[in-house]
Amino acid sequence: MFGNYAILSGLLVPVLLIIVHSLLGFTSHNQINAIIPMVGQGIAYTIFAASFWPIAVIIVPVELVGTAYGILFAAQSIGLALVPLIIAWIYDSSKHQYIPNVELCFVCISIMSFIFGICINYYRFDLNNKQVNNNNNNNNNNNICNNSQRM
């Protein structure tokens, strides 16, 4: 059930944002109506907001979920504080031209998010395999114990 959140947040959203910011940054208003990428951006951020917080439950042990939520909140707050400053610096450095430099920055952030999403999904897959293997080993050991007690 929770695995779908990691896939949505980690892989689908960054790909959608890469497409959206590429369309906004590298096409002219004559080639594409800006409403289409803006709607795509809204959909991507909505999916991200709905799937970001459940990821902590997937990748951390139950006893550390509260700490994980604290770290996620701190990381999100740092991002919300620093990214506007970085964007303002890029905007000023490019002589107050928003396109394409600022959009290129958002594409790069989305690419980093995609790579991070691959890592989360790999870790989730690896963790699930270890849990399945441990459960199988425990079941086999229990069966051996139960069989030896019957003899």
Side-chain angles (χ1 to χ4, degrees):
M1 176 179 156
F2 291 114
N4 295 334
Y5 292 120
I7 293 169
L8 281 175
S9 185
L11 300 176
L12 176 67
V13 171
V15 167
L16 188 55
L17 288 175
I18 290 168
I19 293 167
V20 164
H21 287 295
S22 295
L23 287 173
L24 287 171
F26 303 111
T27 59
S28 70
H29 68 291
N30 295 333
Q31 294 173 323
I32 191 165
N33 188 350
I35 293 173
I36 295 167
M38 294 303 289
V39 169
Q41 186 177 16
I43 291 169
Y45 287 138
T46 302
I47 293 170
F48 179 76
S51 61
F52 178 68
W53 294 104
I55 288 175
V57 177
I58 298 170
I59 59 175
V60 297
V62 175
E63 60 272 4
L64 296 175
V65 170
T67 304
Y69 282 134
I71 292 170
L72 284 174
F73 181 75
Q76 184 180 22
S77 296
I78 290 169
L80 289 171
L82 293 182
V83 170
L85 297 174
I86 294 168
I87 296 304
W89 177 77
I90 292 170
Y91 180 73
D92 285 341
S93 298
S94 60
K95 298 180 176 118
H96 300 279
Q97 288 185 329
Y98 188 83
I99 295 176
N101 296 336
V102 173
E103 289 298 332
L104 182 61
C105 177
F106 287 129
V107 169
C108 292
I109 291 170
S110 298
I111 290 170
M112 289 188 300
S113 297
F114 182 74
I115 293 168
F116 185 69
I118 290 172
C119 294
I120 287 175
N121 281 291
Y122 175 78
Y123 180 76
R124 180 182 60 88
F125 179 75
D126 189 46
L127 184 66
N128 286 341
N129 282 342
K130 287 179 183 175
Q131 288 175 347
V132 168
N133 290 337
N134 286 339
N135 288 340
N136 287 339
N137 290 339
N138 289 340
N139 289 339
N140 290 340
N141 291 340
N142 290 339
N143 289 339
I144 291 170
C145 292
N146 290 336
N147 290 335
S148 64
Q149 291 174 353
R150 290 181 190 164
M151 293 180 178

